Amino acid sequence: MKTQQRTLAIIKPDAVKKNATGDILNSIYAAGFRIIGMHMLEINTEQAQGFYAVHAGKPFFNSLCTFMSSGPIVVLALEKESAIADWRKLMGATNPANAEAGTIRKKWASSIESNAVHGSDAEDTARFELSYFFPGYELF
Ligand code: ADP
Ligand code: MG
C-alpha cells in the first residue's frame, strides 16, 4: 500500500457565497481524495491571523484576514497519496490569471485574494493547519 498523506483544504468565503461548494467537493472526489474531516464555520479576524501567521507582515495580510472572516468557509481534511502536491495542483496558481485550465481557481477564483480555495504547502504546514481546525480524534 502506498503511503497516505493528509492536507488541509479550505473553500474560502468567495466560493461559498457563489454556491461553488458542491462543485468543488465533486472535483475533490473525482481526483481521488478521501474527505476525512469537514466543517462549515465562520472564523473571526483573530482566528484568520493565527491561521495565516506565516504571512504576518506581508502587504496583503490584513486584507486577507478580513476576507477570510467575511463569511462561512468549509474546512476539509483530505487524504490520499501525495495529497499536499496533488491538492495544490488541482487548486491551480494563487493568481487565477496564471491558473491552468481544469483547475478550481481557474473556474472559481475572482482575484488573487478571492481565489476560492486554500491548500497546505508542505508536511509541517499541513500538520499545523490540520490541528488548527481538527483535533486528531475528529478525523476518520
Ligand atoms: P496560496 O494560497 O496559493 O498558497 P499564498 O500562501 O502565497 O498562496 O498566499 C495566501 C493567500 O493570500 C492567497 O491564497 C490569497 O488569498 C492571498 N494573497 C496572496 N498573494 C496576494 C496578493 N499579492 N494580493 C492579495 N492577496 C494575496
Ligand atoms: Mg500558501
Coordinates of all heavy atoms in Angstrom, one line a residue, residues 12 52 55 60 64 88 94 105 112-113 115, ligand 1:
K12 N -13.0 28.9 0.5 CA -13.0 30.3 1.0 C -14.3 31.0 0.9 O -15.2 30.5 0.1 CB -11.9 31.1 0.3 CG -10.4 30.5 0.6 CD -9.4 31.4 0.0 CE -8.0 30.9 0.3 NZ -6.9 31.9 -0.2
Y52 N -3.0 32.3 9.3 CA -2.1 32.8 8.3 C -0.9 33.5 8.9 O -0.3 34.3 8.3 CB -2.8 33.8 7.4 CG -3.6 33.1 6.3 CD1 -5.0 33.3 6.2 CD2 -3.0 32.3 5.3 CE1 -5.7 32.7 5.1 CE2 -3.7 31.8 4.3 CZ -5.1 31.9 4.2 OH -5.8 31.4 3.2
H55 N 2.2 34.6 7.1 CA 2.1 35.8 6.2 C 2.1 37.1 6.9 O 1.9 38.2 6.3 CB 0.9 35.7 5.3 CG 1.0 34.6 4.3 ND1 2.0 34.4 3.4 CD2 0.2 33.5 4.0 CE1 1.8 33.3 2.6 NE2 0.7 32.8 3.0
F60 N -0.5 42.2 2.0 CA -1.9 41.7 1.8 C -2.5 41.1 3.1 O -3.6 40.6 3.1 CB -2.0 40.7 0.6 CG -1.1 39.5 0.7 CD1 -1.5 38.4 1.4 CD2 0.1 39.5 0.0 CE1 -0.7 37.3 1.5 CE2 0.9 38.3 0.1 CZ 0.5 37.2 0.9
L64 N -6.3 40.0 3.7 CA -6.6 38.6 3.6 C -7.3 38.1 4.8 O -8.3 37.3 4.7 CB -5.2 37.9 3.5 CG -5.2 36.3 3.6 CD1 -6.0 35.7 2.5 CD2 -3.8 35.8 3.7
R88 N -2.7 21.0 -4.3 CA -2.2 22.3 -4.8 C -2.3 22.3 -6.4 O -2.6 23.3 -7.0 CB -0.8 22.6 -4.4 CG -0.8 22.9 -2.9 CD 0.5 23.6 -2.4 NE 0.6 24.9 -3.1 CZ 0.2 26.1 -2.5 NH1 -0.5 26.1 -1.4 NH2 0.3 27.2 -3.2
T94 N -2.0 30.6 -7.4 CA -2.6 31.6 -6.5 C -3.3 32.7 -7.2 O -4.4 33.1 -6.9 CB -1.4 32.3 -5.7 OG1 -0.6 31.2 -5.1 CG2 -2.0 33.2 -4.6
R105 N -9.2 27.1 -9.2 CA -9.1 28.5 -9.2 C -9.4 29.1 -10.6 O -9.9 30.2 -10.7 CB -7.7 28.9 -8.7 CG -7.6 28.8 -7.2 CD -6.2 29.0 -6.7 NE -6.1 29.3 -5.2 CZ -5.0 29.2 -4.5 NH1 -3.9 28.8 -5.1 NH2 -5.0 29.5 -3.2
I112 N -6.6 37.5 -7.1 CA -5.5 36.9 -6.4 C -5.8 36.7 -4.9 O -5.3 35.8 -4.3 CB -4.2 37.7 -6.6 CG1 -3.0 36.9 -6.1 CG2 -4.2 39.0 -6.0 CD1 -1.6 37.4 -6.5
E113 N -6.7 37.6 -4.4 CA -7.1 37.4 -3.0 C -8.3 36.4 -2.8 O -8.3 35.5 -2.1 CB -7.4 38.7 -2.3 CG -7.9 38.6 -0.9 CD -8.2 39.9 -0.2 OE1 -9.3 40.4 -0.3 OE2 -7.3 40.4 0.4
N115 N -9.6 33.8 -4.1 CA -9.2 32.8 -5.0 C -9.7 31.4 -4.7 O -9.1 30.4 -5.0 CB -7.7 32.8 -5.2 CG -6.9 32.5 -3.9 OD1 -7.5 32.3 -2.9 ND2 -5.6 32.6 -4.0
Ligands
ADP1 P1 -1.5 30.0 -1.8 O1 -2.9 30.2 -1.2 O2 -1.6 29.7 -3.3 O3 -0.6 29.1 -1.0 P2 0.0 32.2 -0.6 O4 0.3 31.3 0.5 O5 1.1 32.9 -1.2 O6 -0.8 31.5 -1.7 O7 -1.0 33.3 -0.1 C1 -2.1 33.0 0.8 C2 -3.3 33.7 0.3 O8 -3.1 35.2 0.4 C3 -3.7 33.5 -1.2 O9 -4.3 32.3 -1.4 C4 -4.5 34.7 -1.4 O10 -5.8 34.6 -0.9 C5 -3.8 35.8 -0.6 N1 -2.8 36.5 -1.4 C6 -1.6 36.0 -1.8 N2 -0.9 36.9 -2.5 C7 -1.7 38.0 -2.6 C8 -1.5 39.3 -3.2 N3 -0.4 39.7 -3.9 N4 -2.6 40.2 -3.0 C9 -3.7 39.9 -2.4 N5 -3.9 38.7 -1.8 C10 -2.9 37.8 -1.9

